[in-house]
Amino acid sequence: MRILWVKAGKLLPVDSGGKIRSYNLLRQIHRRHDLTLLSYYGGKRDAVYDRDIGGRFPGARSICTGVPDESGLHYVQHVWSRVPYAVVKFSAPRVRHAVRESLASGRFDVCVCDFLSASLNFPRVLRTPTVLFQHNVESILWNRQARHEPNLLKRLAFALEAWKMRRYERHAVQRFDHVMAVSDADRDAFAQMTDRDRISVVPTGVDVAQYRPAASSPARGPLVMFLGSMDWEANVDAVEFFAREAWPAIKAAVPQARFRIVGRNPGARVRALASESIEVTGTVPSVVEHLQEAAAVVVPLRIGGGTRLKIFEAMAAGRAVVSTSVGAEGLDVVHDRDIVLADGAVPFARAVVDLLSDSAARERLGCAAAASAARYDWPEVAMRFEQILERVAAVSRLESAYVRPARVGA
């Protein structure tokens, strides 16, 4: 197949859940198909990135839009737009022109709009079959953020964004030829916006070989770990909730316990959590070494959407995982088989204490977790993604005998 893949924001370094998912799918699909990546980003031109992305994916085209990075002023300038700011900030004339020109060339069998953020750059009339790859249900994510945000001004901003997103996302999933979701739960949510048969599910994956070495390493004491990008609001809320509402009870029960927050770009709110028993690492060269030391990995998320790749990474490393229901939402996991699910500060703290106090239970859970994660190695997941793209392209070829009806959206 000849595939055009449009991605908003820099794909490198591969240091967040969305980047990990896109990068690994691209890497696998590029081996078997004629894939052209259109990667674009704001701010100043980054010659190193342009060179590196072309080296990873020969034929890739990178565009620096010159659009300012996210800021309060940039947000205020677009606050009255009916399109969500999370979409507007990734829109640019140069990208719209490049996408329109590429699709008009007739060169591609199918196109992938990677995430809703890139969608405003696509023409209203899509003559090349185009798949919208949704890593989250964005309207759900913004609703949860508005509900849990303690700052009144930010809560109002999140509520406004959620209102805009509900309208925009519904139109977007109707406009594209097909929608790719990452879980059955997300598919159910999208089915409220468009026909269910226009939605497919491709689960999240994990690089099993990368994390397997950690599975044979015993924990180094009662170390509890959180893993995730610390510039994402959902993760900030999660570690604040855990540190303030669950950690004191855990420390009282297991005085030697330590909590390590591993992830890039921790802001002031996260750094303020650091104490004698809480460590904030910031960016690390490799998370595998940290997973090797952990006795348990916690995912105390209360907001967010899609699926958490970090859970599969911890599971592939053979680590016992304690998560909220929201944190593990959409993953093929079962409570007390390969994960422990707990909601609320008291049940969550109790679950962590139980695992720290019972090495046999940790080992049993970790072994089951590694076995479950092994079913989602990236080559298998990418093959499923490819099959759906091939089916969408085949339907388009069958319709080529007559003018394809245009899908018009927001």
Side-chain angles (χ1 to χ4, degrees):
M1 279 187 300
R2 298 165 301 172
I3 304 166
L4 174 66
W5 190 295
V6 181
K7 173 69 176 172
K10 293 178 181 178
L11 187 59
L12 305 175
V14 187
D15 56 4
S16 68
K19 290 181 181 180
I20 291 169
R21 186 182 287 113
S22 295
Y23 177 81
N24 281 282
L25 288 170
L26 281 163
R27 187 166 59 93
Q28 296 294 329
I29 295 172
H30 190 270
R31 293 172 177 173
R32 292 181 289 272
H33 298 278
D34 179 3
L35 186 147
T36 299
L37 171 64
L38 173 56
S39 171
Y40 69 95
Y41 57 91
K44 297 180 180 179
R45 183 174 178 270
D46 186 340
V48 174
Y49 174 78
D50 295 345
R51 180 199 66 209
D52 289 349
I53 199 68
R56 302 283 183 96
F57 302 101
R61 179 180 181 185
S62 60
I63 297 176
C64 176
T65 64
V67 175
D69 291 330
E70 184 175 349
S71 66
L73 177 60
H74 196 238
Y75 173 79
V76 170
Q77 290 173 339
H78 295 87
V79 72
W80 300 115
S81 170
R82 291 178 63 84
V83 178
Y85 181 66
V87 176
V88 167
K89 68 180 181 180
F90 290 107
S91 174
R94 287 189 63 194
V95 180
R96 289 195 294 272
H97 175 76
V99 172
R100 188 183 311 112
E101 186 179 60
S102 296
L103 296 180
S105 70
R107 176 189 165 194
F108 298 101
D109 300 310
V110 67
C111 177
V112 176
C113 173
D114 190 347
F115 213 25
L116 202 64
S117 50
S119 61
L120 201 60
N121 295 293
F122 281 74
R124 289 175 176 269
V125 178
L126 296 170
R127 303 197 182 280
T128 298
T130 305
V131 172
L132 175 63
F133 180 23
Q134 280 290 72
H135 301 235
N136 305 304
V137 183
E138 282 289 285
S139 50
I140 291 177
L141 186 153
W142 285 100
N143 277 326
R144 288 173 175 169
Q145 288 200 183
R147 188 164 63 247
H148 289 283
E149 174 55 50
N151 181 283
L152 176 60
L153 190 59
K154 291 180 70 175
R155 187 163 67 248
L156 291 173
F158 288 158
L160 177 61
E161 188 77 357
W163 177 81
K164 293 180 180 181
M165 191 63 76
R166 282 194 297 273
R167 174 186 174 275
Y168 184 85
E169 190 166 37
R170 176 178 293 275
H171 282 284
V173 299
Q174 294 172 358
R175 176 161 76 100
F176 289 89
D177 294 270
H178 203 78
V179 177
M180 205 84 80
V182 297
S183 72
D184 290 333
D186 281 9
R187 181 181 184 179
D188 290 342
F190 287 129
Q192 304 301 311
M193 308 177 195
T194 189
D195 297 337
R196 178 175 285 269
D197 60 4
R198 297 185 55 248
I199 311 164
S200 296
V201 175
V202 173
T204 237
V206 64
D207 188 339
V208 173
Q210 179 182 358
Y211 294 95
R212 186 179 290 119
S216 58
S217 300
R220 299 181 184 177
L223 174 64
V224 179
M225 177 177 163
F226 178 88
L227 174 61
S229 301
M230 296 319 305
D231 53 1
W232 191 43
E233 186 65 32
N235 287 343
V236 175
D237 175 82
V239 295
E240 284 186 327
F241 162 71
F242 180 77
R244 292 173 180 169
E245 300 189 34
W247 186 242
I250 296 169
K251 278 291 291 179
V254 186
Q256 292 76 35
R258 294 170 295 133
F259 178 39
R260 182 179 296 169
I261 301 169
V262 180
R264 64 173 183 155
N265 299 335
R269 288 166 57 189
V270 176
R271 294 195 303 271
L273 300 175
S275 68
E276 184 179 341
S277 65
I278 299 178
E279 176 187 2
V280 180
T281 69
T283 302
V284 296
S286 170
V287 301
V288 176
E289 288 79 3
H290 292 275
L291 286 168
Q292 286 176 318
E293 297 180 2
V297 174
V298 292
V299 189
L301 268 74
R302 302 188 295 175
I303 58 181
T307 55
R308 249 59 63 187
L309 283 85
K310 301 304 180 185
I311 288 184
F312 268 178
E313 291 176 356
M315 290 173 64
R319 269 30 209 170
V321 178
V322 181
S323 175
T324 59
S325 299
V326 168
E329 191 175 56
L331 294 178
D332 182 18
V333 293
V334 177
H335 171 62
D336 208 30
R337 182 194 70 184
D338 46 22
I339 197 169
V340 174
L341 300 177
D343 293 309
V346 173
F348 204 98
R350 186 183 305 121
V352 174
V353 169
D354 288 346
L355 285 175
L356 293 181
S357 306
D358 189 341
S359 59
R362 289 201 311 271
E363 184 176 355
R364 173 187 61 80
L365 198 68
C367 288
S372 294
R375 302 198 306 269
Y376 295 95
D377 207 3
W378 280 117
E380 301 299 321
V381 173
M383 190 70 72
R384 184 167 174 178
F385 199 104
E386 291 173 37
Q387 290 169 351
I388 295 167
L389 293 183
E390 288 171 347
R391 188 168 69 241
V392 172
V395 169
S396 176
R397 287 193 294 271
L398 288 174
E399 294 178 343
S400 62
Y402 58 91
V403 178
R404 298 177 67 236
R407 294 188 184 277
V408 180

